[in-house]
Amino acid sequence: MAEPEMDGTASTAVADSLVRGAARIGTDHGGERITTNGVNHSPADGVLARVRTLLPDFTGALQRVAEQVLTDPAAASRATIVELAERSGTSPATITRFCRAVGFDGYADLRLGIAAETGRARSAGWTVDIGREIQPNDPLERVLGQIMAADTRAMHDTATLLDLGEVERAAVAIAAAQRVNIFGASGSALVGEEMQFSLHRIGIPVWAWTDVHNGLASAALSRPGDVALGISHSGETGETIELLAEANSRGATTIALTSFPRSPLAELADIVLLTATQATTFRPDALSARHPQLVVLDLLYVAVAQRTHERSHAAFQRTAQAVHGHKAAKDS
């Protein structure tokens, strides 16, 4: 099925835009992964996670190709360029533009990347039940296997997408901050409170805000050197964007934790930390994002603790001593 000429033109514009912005997630269109934190990564690393992350930015023909690849990666790794074009209702030229948009020189490289990733997934058992609907009569053993496979895959994809240089920058900023504000709504608010608890235990002056009015008041008091962390899977939560924007306007260093590198929240932030998700039945993307978000924030917390080692160690001792008397007495 041939695509309209105007669709092809639009697809070219989108592809070129995505190629120019690919450095935001650590790749370029020459097939080489940008070195981050002293580590080189192949463009084949996390290709499906990259496609999933870029999917909201694709339109028309490119979107159809992305959806076809994500629906059946194994088939895509075996298909010729003409076959993939036919299955996605596009053209070989669009497949070539798609390859460029996700960081590959050509279709052969894309196929190899997908094949390598699906092979690793099979070896690790990640493909078991991923994408399969959980039925009301499924035994808990099968449900557990599906959840574990999905979360394991999401963790691996997050590790692939995450720019450790950005984590380093965030840790340095938080370690030196006089005030850290964390903003999030709904499930992201719960994740933010976990981070607040961890940083608070090592003596970081940190507050987690879920009420917009209180959060705006705190953001308005931000000064240069302070840090504001906004958490939103979609990067489109209006309240979180507003809070981070207010802190940014006051000179605070802003950090976004999101799954979408070109979302409004990410575009606003000085530092972007990316997560990947793997949805399952009853756990759509927003819910399945929690564990990857917690992993990234745990990494950030440890990085801050490393940079404030003496202060953190002393804070742990004092806080442990303070609550010791409230622990249940051990049997003698």
Side-chain angles (χ1 to χ4, degrees), residues 65-308:
V65 177
E67 290 172 346
Q68 182 63 40
V69 168
L70 293 174
T71 298
D72 195 346
S77 71
R78 296 189 299 267
T80 67
I81 189 170
V82 173
E83 289 171 340
L84 184 59
E86 291 177 348
R87 291 172 186 174
S88 58
T90 62
S91 70
T94 296
I95 303 300
T96 300
R97 289 193 293 271
F98 175 80
C99 293
R100 291 181 56 223
V102 296
F104 291 91
D105 285 332
Y107 185 59
D109 293 331
L110 175 67
R111 284 181 63 187
L112 288 174
I114 297 174
E117 186 165 346
T118 54
R120 287 193 300 269
R122 283 193 298 270
S123 298
W126 297 337
T127 58
V128 176
D129 281 343
I130 291 183
R132 175 189 178 277
E133 288 291 318
I134 297 176
Q135 302 301 324
N137 59 347
D138 279 349
L140 287 181
E141 181 180 8
R142 181 182 292 276
V143 174
L144 175 61
Q146 182 172 355
I147 291 174
M148 291 294 293
D151 281 356
T152 301
R153 182 60 180 268
M155 301 294 186
H156 179 273
D157 288 348
T158 294
T160 301
L161 287 174
L162 191 62
D163 186 337
L164 296 182
E166 293 284 88
V167 177
E168 179 90 23
R169 289 178 59 206
V172 169
I174 291 174
Q178 294 297 311
R179 183 182 187 88
V180 177
N181 285 315
I182 301 176
F183 306 125
S186 189
S188 295
L190 299 177
V191 173
E193 289 174 350
E194 284 283 333
M195 185 59 168
Q196 190 269 342
F197 171 79
S198 297
L199 291 175
H200 180 68
R201 285 294 301 269
I202 59 174
I204 300 295
V206 55
W207 290 263
W209 303 100
T210 55
D211 179 84
V212 175
H213 289 186
N214 289 335
L216 282 172
S218 187
L221 295 174
S222 297
R223 296 174 295 180
D226 290 348
V227 171
L229 167 63
I231 304 171
S232 170
H233 160 67
S234 67
E236 297 181 345
T237 304
E239 296 89 341
T240 305
I241 294 170
E242 182 181 6
L243 291 163
L244 205 68
E246 177 64 31
N248 180 273
S249 71
R250 304 294 177 175
T253 298
T254 51
I255 305 169
L257 179 64
T258 180
S259 298
F260 297 95
R262 271 167 291 279
S263 62
L265 188 70
E267 295 293 348
L268 171 67
D270 300 309
I271 300 169
V272 178
L273 306 180
L274 288 177
T275 57
T277 62
Q278 186 69 57
T280 62
T281 311
F282 306 121
R283 293 198 315 161
D285 282 342
L287 291 179
S288 61
R290 287 179 300 178
H291 292 159
Q293 287 172 342
L294 288 170
V295 167
V296 173
L297 292 180
D298 274 346
L299 175 63
L300 178 57
Y301 156 71
V302 171
V304 172
Q306 287 178 313
R307 284 152 186 77
T308 58

